[in-house]
Amino acid sequence: MEQKFYGNGKLLLSGEYVILDGAKGLALPTRYGQALSVNENRSGLLRWKSLDPNGLPWFEGEYDLNGLLERSNTNTKTAEMLTRILRQAQALNPDFLTRANGYEVKTLLSFPKNWGLGTSSTLIYTLARWADIDPYQLLNATFGGSGYDIACAGTDTPILYQIENNVPKVESIAWDVPFKDRLFFVYLNQKRNSREAIAMYRKRDMDHGLIADISSITEQLTVVERLSEFERLLSAHENLISKALDIATVQHLLFDDYPHAVKSLGAWGGDFVLATGDAATSPTYFKEKGYDTVIPFSKMILS
């Protein structure tokens, strides 16, 4: 019998970096995600194949079930990380991978893996469901991070996310701003490594007032009704993080002449940004600057 699992991708609208230290963030699950399917067999092997949105393999690996020793792979770095994830899953559930004498596993992304929507987090979430373990524990034992992406993988509504006493607190909300048709997600043509970005943040001195300020902005974003106020909050958030990281905002660096608001999402310097504007002119502006992936809110976010 085939087992199937699915995890949503994610975008973090507020709280980036500071969410690690207890700030409240507003996170949005995406219409894009990753599926994982498992078929049992008698091969004595775990055969793994990861497919891109076009159904083309971007990784293949083969492991002996006894000790999860690699027999072959198409990418050593990916194979090593997958081995680590599988072994950590076994450590959390010793019965994992003992039901059958062999497994055929396939993953299928519905978004390009360089978009940064959660190739790793959706894998952790779906594999944890297969292994019947806590996905947050598996994340902590492998990639690390705040865990908001794990929360998004398993919910279909916007969430407020906060870490309290090292425990994730997730609150589903009905975030239905009346100006969604004025919101766009723009891909910056490069992926940012979240672990490297977190390491950079950790080198900075922590301003505890920043946690309260970002949490306050997050709360205000959940009840905002006017686009002008929404843009003010986005700019305030950008300026706070810019000061904390000592890095210029993405709008100052790339879109200084854009007449509306632009905000980084997640790790600064790559992946997607959120832009306000209008359907008639905003996509054209970004595409003329070489940013061809401009996705309206309604086509990106589950809501």
Side-chain angles (χ1 to χ4, degrees):
M1 177 183 295
E2 184 177 46
Q3 294 178 277
K4 294 182 178 182
F5 308 94
Y6 183 81
N8 302 316
K10 48 68 183 178
L11 285 168
L12 186 62
L13 184 60
S14 69
E16 65 264 22
Y17 297 108
V18 197
I19 202 171
L20 293 161
D21 293 308
K24 184 176 291 187
L26 174 56
L28 309 174
T30 69
R31 295 183 181 276
Y32 300 94
Q34 182 167 209
L36 182 148
S37 63
V38 182
N39 283 286
E40 299 176 358
N41 56 46
R42 297 181 176 277
S43 65
L45 302 171
L46 188 156
R47 295 192 178 100
W48 190 286
K49 181 179 290 188
S50 296
L51 306 175
D52 69 13
N54 297 315
L56 300 175
W58 60 269
F59 171 76
E60 294 181 77
E62 191 172 275
Y63 301 82
D64 285 319
L65 282 178
N66 184 18
L68 288 177
L69 300 176
E70 296 174 31
R71 291 167 57 103
S72 64
N73 67 76
T74 57
N75 184 304
T76 301
K77 185 176 180 180
T78 300
E80 289 175 351
M81 178 54 72
L82 179 57
T83 301
R84 181 183 174 192
I85 294 169
L86 291 167
R87 286 176 176 168
Q88 289 294 341
Q90 285 185 317
L92 292 168
N93 179 7
D95 292 332
F96 179 49
L97 298 181
T98 62
R99 279 186 45 184
N101 292 324
Y103 300 88
E104 194 84 24
V105 181
K106 288 184 180 179
T107 65
L108 175 62
L109 288 168
S110 63
F111 59 90
K113 62 190 295 288
N114 61 347
W115 275 10
L117 294 184
T119 304
S120 299
S121 58
T122 51
L123 172 63
I124 291 293
Y125 176 78
T126 53
L127 197 149
R129 287 191 58 204
W130 173 30
D132 195 23
I133 56 178
D134 185 335
Y136 294 103
Q137 290 185 357
L138 185 59
L139 177 73
N140 290 335
T142 51
F143 294 103
S146 70
Y148 86 88
D149 45 5
I150 298 298
C152 283
T155 187
D156 292 340
T157 65
I159 62 170
L160 291 176
Y161 184 88
Q162 190 171 26
I163 300 173
E164 292 185 344
N165 300 317
N166 296 318
V167 177
K169 180 181 178 182
V170 182
E171 178 186 352
S172 295
I173 62 173
W175 192 63
D176 191 25
V177 292
F179 44 81
K180 289 179 180 177
D181 61 335
R182 303 290 299 276
L183 305 181
F184 304 87
F185 296 96
V186 183
Y187 181 59
L188 295 184
N189 299 334
Q190 59 181 345
K191 191 180 186 309
R192 187 78 162 91
N193 187 301
S194 297
R195 281 170 289 171
E196 292 177 359
I198 289 171
M200 176 189 69
Y201 166 73
R202 286 300 190 199
K203 293 178 181 179
R204 312 293 300 180
D205 292 331
M206 182 61 210
D207 177 1
H208 291 281
L210 181 62
I211 297 173
D213 290 340
I214 293 297
S215 294
S216 176
I217 290 175
T218 294
E219 292 284 4
Q220 293 175 70
L221 285 170
T222 65
V223 296
V224 67
E225 295 183 353
R226 297 192 307 274
L227 179 61
S228 59
E229 179 65 7
F230 182 75
E231 292 175 324
R232 184 192 68 78
L233 292 169
L234 295 187
S235 295
H237 193 294
E238 284 288 90
N239 290 332
L240 285 170
I241 300 299
S242 174
K243 182 178 178 181
L245 298 178
D246 194 24
I247 297 175
T249 67
V250 68
Q251 183 150 15
H252 177 74
L253 288 174
L254 300 177
F255 310 115
D256 200 33
D257 60 340
Y258 187 62
H260 308 287
V262 179
K263 184 190 179 298
S264 293
L265 302 175
W268 279 32
D271 301 336
F272 279 88
V273 296
L274 173 67
T276 64
D278 63 80
T281 60
S282 294
T284 300
Y285 168 88
F286 291 106
K287 290 178 181 180
E288 286 179 348
K289 284 187 171 287
Y291 302 98
D292 293 328
T293 302
V294 182
I295 303 175
F297 186 99
S298 61
K299 292 187 177 180
M300 174 69 87
I301 301 301
L302 282 170
S303 59

